[in-house]
């Protein structure tokens, strides 16, 4: 049995579409926007508090710990805020004064900005599928059920709806005592596998950016 050239192109095109579809659903995290105050020339900060604004205390502590680990290793001291601020207060001045009393000259504040679900619908379709098991003059399957099940699967696409989840996190670095932002970064995670994995990846991205901008000391 020989395939016509058009059939070969059909098969290759189908494989390419399937691969692209699968790759699009893979988990990934990337920095989508970055801003740095070009007027800031003060050099790396000496002591930064990591503040994660989250109502769940366990989540706050976990994310602050992981972020601090990602940024540690250089001359800048990085401290999870829960070690000096037992609870987050609405009074910004009170928080700033507590940090200043502890010798902090910077605060990295992060929050979950959005969780977005993107739905992609693929309608049902029927088509002729070339290839698959073929043994010349002999049957490729020993029973009717085996062969029919294979033939139906490759010849009919019932359609489906795929949901992609995007997790957007916003982070701002403030210089104390004036409490003005000197850097902001937004990350987007597609179809995250776990919260811990996302936090680790975001921490690495933020650390890379802050070291590159010389806002914290490199190891």
């Amino acid at each position: 049995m020989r395939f016509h050239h058009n059939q070969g192109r059909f098969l290759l095109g189908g494989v390419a579409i399937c691969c692209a579809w699968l790759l699009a659903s893979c988990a990934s995290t990337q920095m989508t926007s970055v801003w740095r105050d070009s007027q800031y020339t003060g050099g790396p900060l000496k002591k930064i508090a990591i503040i994660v604004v989250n109502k769940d205390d366990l989540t706050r502590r976990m994310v602050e710990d992981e972020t601090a680990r990602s940024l540690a290793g250089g001359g800048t001291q990085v401290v999870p805020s829960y070690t000096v601020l037992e609870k987050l207060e609405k009074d910004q001045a009170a928080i700033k004064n507590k940090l200043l009393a502890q010798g902090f000259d910077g605060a990295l504040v992060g929050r979950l900005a959005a969780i977005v679900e993107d739905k992609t619908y693929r309608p049902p379709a029927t088509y002729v599928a070339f290839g698959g098991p073929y043994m010349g003059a002999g049957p490729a399957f020993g029973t009717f059920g085996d062969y029919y099940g294979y033939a139906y699967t490759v010849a009919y696409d019932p359609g489906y709806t795929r949901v992609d989840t995007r997790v957007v996190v916003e982070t701002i670095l403030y210089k104390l005592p004036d409490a003005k932002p000197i850097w902001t970064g937004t990350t987007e995670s597609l179809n995250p596998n776990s919260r811990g994995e996302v936090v680790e990846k975001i921490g690495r991205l933020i650390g890379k950016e802050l070291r590159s901008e010389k806002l914290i000391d490199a190891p």
Side-chain angles (χ1 to χ4, degrees), residues 49-86:
I50 306 299
I51 303 177
V52 174
V53 184
N54 194 294
K55 292 182 179 180
D56 183 75
D57 190 59
L58 291 178
T59 299
R60 173 198 168 197
R61 289 170 178 255
M62 185 276 287
V63 178
E64 287 185 355
D65 280 336
E66 185 59 48
T67 305
R69 280 193 290 269
S70 298
L71 272 60
T76 301
Q77 185 180 356
V78 184
V79 182
S81 72
Y82 74 83
T83 63
V84 293
L85 303 171
E86 184 177 353

Side-chain angles (χ1 to χ4, degrees), residues 36 40-50 71-79 100 103-109 172-183 210-211 213-218:
R36 186 202 192 279
Y40 176 75
T41 58
L45 301 179
K46 301 300 181 183
K47 189 177 182 181
I48 296 177
I50 306 299
L71 272 60
T76 301
Q77 185 180 356
V78 184
V79 182
L100 290 174
F104 288 93
D105 62 347
L108 184 69
V109 183
I172 304 176
L173 178 62
Y174 291 92
K175 175 71 171 68
L176 301 178
D178 48 356
K180 290 185 178 180
I182 58 175
W183 180 91
L210 294 182
R211 293 184 185 100
E213 295 290 348
K214 294 180 171 51
L215 296 176
I216 64 174
D217 275 328

Side-chain angles (χ1 to χ4, degrees), residues 14 17-18 21 119-125 127 157-162:
I17 292 173
C18 289
W21 191 261
K119 295 183 179 181
T120 303
Y121 174 65
R122 181 170 178 173
Y127 54 88
D157 180 356
Y160 55 87
T161 298
R162 190 188 76 198

